[in-house]
Amino acid sequence: MADRNNGGVIGPAVPTSAPVCAPASTNAFTGDGTYTKPNAAIQTVDVLVVAGGGGGSACKGGGGGGGGVRFVTGVDVSQDSTVAVTVGGGGSAGTGSSTGQKGSDSIFAAGAGEIRGTGGGKSGRAATDSGGQGGSGGGGSGTAGQGNVPPFSPPQGNPAGQQPQGHGAGGGLGGAGSGASPGAGAQSGTGIGAPSTTWSAGGAGGSSGSPGPDNSGVGGQGMPPNSTAGTGGSGYVFVKTPAYAVAGFGSGVWDLQAVYNKRKADEWPTN
């Protein structure tokens, strides 16, 4: 600290003898956005990606598939200062004779390789319609929609159920659909501080037509004839940045005696 009786000058900040530890931090995205790396020294982050759920179908409709879920630790961001984040929307619900639609993908677009969760599969309707493939498959009466498409390890989801008259249920992260009963959701990413939420459940077939909640990746429920089905729940992206060390700095205020001593010894810092 400068001596008020001696005067002082503002000089370059002086590194302290020990670095300062910046604590770990988290970023939660419920819509599209940008992750900004707080320090260039950061090499990796942990990422949870939840895609949008598929929409349910009306008219003896199946349930939509849960959105694909990827939980990846040590994602390489060494090339990046910022990373684009896409949060997938839920698939629209079927009305009348239309089927529910596939959910949209969620993406953490790191330069060294993106982390992508695939949208939940579309649902089928009526006696012969099949469910669609996706993160988890959509339900129908024909072929059940396949999950974990494209394939990842561990799997991002499960296949759907198949049920006559279109009432097959969607698959979920926690299990496959079975008949009109949807696959369960599951937790993922709680180890990095992500919310303790049940992500990516499948939509029930021929049920109440309830939509999937926002930012859940839950598939929309199917509906009996002449009713509107449920939309798929939108997705979610969560990023954890690890703690990192940064150099500590002094105040930059030098008393005149210190300036004299440094100048005399040719040790005055230049940056």
Side-chain angles (χ1 to χ4, degrees):
M1 181 178 292
D3 183 343
R4 293 182 61 186
N5 296 320
N6 188 35
V9 297
I10 303 297
V14 184
T16 61
S17 58
V20 177
C21 183
S25 59
T26 59
N27 297 86
F29 295 88
T30 56
D32 295 352
T34 301
Y35 166 75
T36 300
K37 196 164 69 173
N39 189 280
I42 294 167
Q43 300 295 299
T44 63
V45 296
D46 298 335
V47 179
L48 167 68
V49 171
V50 181
S57 291
C59 190
K60 301 181 180 179
V69 178
R70 307 280 313 284
F71 173 41
V72 185
T73 59
V75 177
D76 185 355
V77 292
S78 58
Q79 305 174 21
D80 307 302
S81 57
T82 61
V83 177
V85 174
T86 301
V87 174
S92 59
T95 58
S97 61
S98 66
T99 61
Q101 296 301 300
K102 185 177 184 290
S104 297
D105 297 355
S106 289
I107 308 166
F108 182 78
E114 68 177 25
I115 306 301
R116 177 186 294 263
T118 310
K122 77 174 188 68
S123 55
R125 55 167 290 279
T128 60
D129 210 4
S130 298
Q133 65 185 23
S136 283
S141 57
T143 303
Q146 292 303 301
N148 194 32
V149 179
F152 293 104
S153 180
Q156 59 172 325
N158 285 285
Q162 184 271 345
Q163 181 84 351
Q165 298 302 311
H167 289 174
L173 176 63
S178 177
S181 299
Q187 292 186 356
S188 185
T190 53
I192 62 171
S196 299
T197 298
T198 300
W199 312 104
S200 183
S207 186
S208 64
S210 297
D214 290 341
N215 308 120
S216 68
V218 171
Q221 294 185 354
M223 195 67 184
N226 305 316
S227 301
T228 302
T231 57
S234 56
Y236 183 79
V237 175
F238 186 88
V239 185
K240 180 179 180 181
T241 305
Y244 57 93
V246 294
F249 289 91
S251 65
V253 178
W254 301 70
D255 64 52
L256 293 180
Q257 185 62 55
V259 175
Y260 172 80
N261 292 339
K262 290 291 185 181
R263 286 291 193 184
K264 184 176 181 181
D266 197 24
E267 296 176 351
W268 181 250
T270 58
N271 53 46

